[in-house]
Amino acid sequence: MLRKIRMLLCLPLITILLSSCQPRQPEEPVILKVAYPSAKQFYVNFGYAFESKYPNIDIQVIPSDPVSEETGWNREGDVIYINGMEQYKKAIKKGILKPIFPPLTNGTESGDLSPIVKSLLESASDNGQYYALPPTFHSEALYYNKKLFDAYHIPYPRNGVTWEEVFALAERFPTEDDQGEPLYGIQMNYYRNVTINFILKAGQTENLTYLDPKTMKVTMNTDKWKSIWTAAVKAFRAGVVYDQGEEPDSMEHPKFLTENAAMTVNSNALAYNFEPFSHFEDATSIDWGMVTAPVDPLNPDYMNFYEIFDFFGVSSSTEHGAEAMKLVKFIAGDSVNSQLLARNQPNYGLPAITDYVAQVGDHDLSPLYTLKANPNYVDLYTQVDAEVLDAFQDAAQGVLDKLLQNEITLDEALAEVEVKGQEAVDTAVFTLEQKKKNNQGDLQ
């Protein structure tokens, strides 16, 4: 009897052992179609690594423009590439993307996604659901030249600095260095309307708007805008802000990289460009530091200038939903591939999972993602035609130039900016409407 019981107890174990020895059935081969602008770039960034990890899934890239209303929403791809937050929001409303639930990134909980990325994704849909995932995001920081700050015994900027404090720091620098070369407290990558763009950037940092995208009404004659103009104009008149516009393709190196400017607000890409630049002829190795980009003093924990350019989602019409979801999650968060991509193509952006952001030498890059994202910030360039905004800037720059030449007072300038700026906006809007009518007439 005891022997019989032992035999019965052993049977399940034998069954398990035998079943574990059976060869696994190979997974059914699947071809995933991906609509993406460059087949070569997709394979280099994601495709080869994904196919190596999932040998039963082959990727077929269909070279095509990003999904948009202009290029068409119905795509034959199983995985859809979308460029930009506004197009992503429109794709959600059109229902061309499957929801991603649970929002995992290659088996990792979505909590490992940067809170910045999560906040931006959640704000894009009415229900807070994810419909696509990005491999990277873009940010900016305030970079500074330690050697120049030390030479003039000026304290380094700190995390959470405001634009008024940045302008005040810039004023502490002389306008020439010890060799008689021009020296600036701060330089930005503006090519036209340089000084007004400084003011607009500072206003956008503080959640101010100069144009209502719905009514197209210009507003700038307010106490908050006046405070920004006051600080900026003081720095402009001191000659410590680099305000000479350049052509975008100019061969002249930015003043910050030639050590003729002490500070610059720039993107995450700059952190990776110092070392390559040091090998250029006549270039130097810059002893640099970084802190968070300037903040709104009323909301010092937030930044308005995080951006996601690349989104990958699963087509709602795909017949290979499970496999397509694997690819999307791989793109967003595979630990090995994400770190390789960050190392080999740093200009592509910061990894969506910031644990994969590597230091540059001994530089900690956390100021690029320390601040929270402001999900309510709206970039005017996504709401208003660039020609209209450029027209306003041209008009505003003309008024600012008069102020800097002491032809008018600050109060007069703010009043005139609203009048001249509104006239420029109205003219640009009318011109665009006429162009649309003429184009429609040509099509009929």
Side-chain angles (χ1 to χ4, degrees), residues 113-126:
L113 284 171
S114 163
I116 295 160
V117 171
K118 291 175 65 179
S119 176
L120 294 175
L121 289 176
E122 290 164 5
S123 68
S125 62
D126 294 335

Side-chain angles (χ1 to χ4, degrees), residues 365 400 434:
L365 302 189
L400 177 55
Q434 291 303 306

Side-chain angles (χ1 to χ4, degrees), residues 228-274:
I228 290 171
W229 275 65
T230 300
V233 167
K234 187 169 180 286
F236 299 155
R237 284 177 170 159
V240 296
V241 175
Y242 183 73
D243 63 354
Q244 300 173 41
E246 307 168 9
E247 292 300 320
D249 59 352
S250 170
M251 295 301 291
E252 182 181 357
H253 297 308
K255 296 301 179 185
F256 185 79
L257 290 179
T258 59
E259 297 198 286
N260 295 109
M263 294 180 287
T264 187
V265 175
N266 215 307
S267 74
N268 45 274
L270 181 60
Y272 300 95
N273 290 335
F274 287 112

Side-chain angles (χ1 to χ4, degrees), residues 158-222:
R158 57 175 176 78
N159 286 326
V161 70
T162 67
W163 268 107
E164 288 193 20
E165 291 169 330
V166 168
F167 287 131
L169 267 180
E171 287 183 63
R172 299 180 67 171
F173 286 89
T175 56
E176 290 185 353
D177 63 17
D178 295 338
Q179 286 74 46
E181 292 292 320
L183 181 63
Y184 302 93
I186 186 167
Q187 168 255 332
M188 299 275 277
N189 294 328
Y190 297 135
Y191 304 111
R192 294 178 64 250
N193 300 324
V194 176
T195 47
I196 195 64
N197 269 305
F198 267 98
I199 288 175
L200 297 180
K201 179 74 170 183
Q204 290 162 344
T205 299
E206 299 190 16
N207 295 302
L208 302 182
T209 185
Y210 58 90
L211 180 65
D212 186 321
K214 294 181 179 178
T215 64
M216 304 304 283
K217 176 176 169 50
V218 171
T219 301
M220 189 163 267
N221 192 7
T222 67

Side-chain angles (χ1 to χ4, degrees), residues 72 86 165 190 193 215 224 287 292 339 360 366 402 423:
E86 293 306 308
E165 291 169 330
Y190 297 135
N193 300 324
T215 64
K224 282 194 171 184
D287 184 11
T292 61
Q339 291 178 76
V360 175
S366 62
K402 289 168 61 178
E423 290 174 354

